């Protein structure tokens, strides 16, 4: 908001707008922190329990069906490439 736009509001309205903005930012950062935590959890599960039993759609249930299929495809590609690398040695 510019200086001249701010003159159209009372002090109480400006303070309330700032509070609303701060709350919106807090929630946005809270959501980003939650996503980062879930990603770290997924990576640690993959590193320490690398038995191929991790289902990404269970960890991120808000993915749509196409994204779930793509994640499964990538998972099986990684398994396939791992077996190919082992057979070359």
């Amino acid at each position: 908001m510019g200086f001249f736009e701010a003159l159209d509001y009372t002090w109480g309205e400006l303070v309330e707008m700032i509070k609303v903005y701060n709350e919106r930012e807090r929630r946005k950062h809270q959501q980003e922190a939650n996503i980062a935590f879930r990603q770290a959890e997924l990576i640690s599960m993959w590193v320490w329990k690398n038995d191929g039993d991790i289902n990404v759609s269970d960890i991120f249930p808000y993915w749509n069906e196409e994204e779930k299929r793509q994640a499964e495809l990538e998972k099986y590609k990684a398994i396939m490439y791992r077996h190919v690398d082992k057979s070359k040695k």
Side-chain angles (χ1 to χ4, degrees):
M1 172 182 314
F3 175 73
F4 293 108
E5 292 172 344
L7 294 176
D8 292 336
Y9 297 98
T10 65
W11 282 108
E13 290 172 329
L14 289 173
V15 168
E16 192 61 32
M17 288 171 67
I18 291 170
K19 286 180 182 177
V20 168
Y21 174 79
N22 287 339
E23 179 63 20
R24 186 180 310 127
E25 288 295 307
R26 185 187 71 79
R27 289 184 184 191
K28 183 178 92 171
H29 293 303
Q30 186 179 32
Q31 181 181 11
E32 290 171 352
N34 187 22
I35 291 170
F37 178 78
R38 298 287 291 205
Q39 288 174 338
E41 181 182 33
L42 176 63
I43 291 168
S44 68
M45 285 172 55
W46 186 81
V47 167
W48 299 112
K49 300 179 189 176
N50 194 2
D51 55 3
D53 219 12
I54 298 171
N55 188 354
V56 174
S57 62
D58 292 339
I59 297 170
F60 295 102
Y62 42 84
W63 282 7
N64 63 32
E65 292 302 316
E66 179 61 30
E67 291 169 329
K68 288 180 186 178
R69 282 194 295 274
Q70 186 64 30
E72 287 293 316
L73 179 65
E74 294 299 324
K75 174 183 166 184
Y76 291 124
K77 276 185 187 177
I79 292 170
M80 181 184 68
Y81 289 136
R82 219 177 346 200
H83 287 297
V84 168
D85 288 340
K86 286 181 184 176
S87 67
K88 287 182 179 180
K89 293 179 182 178

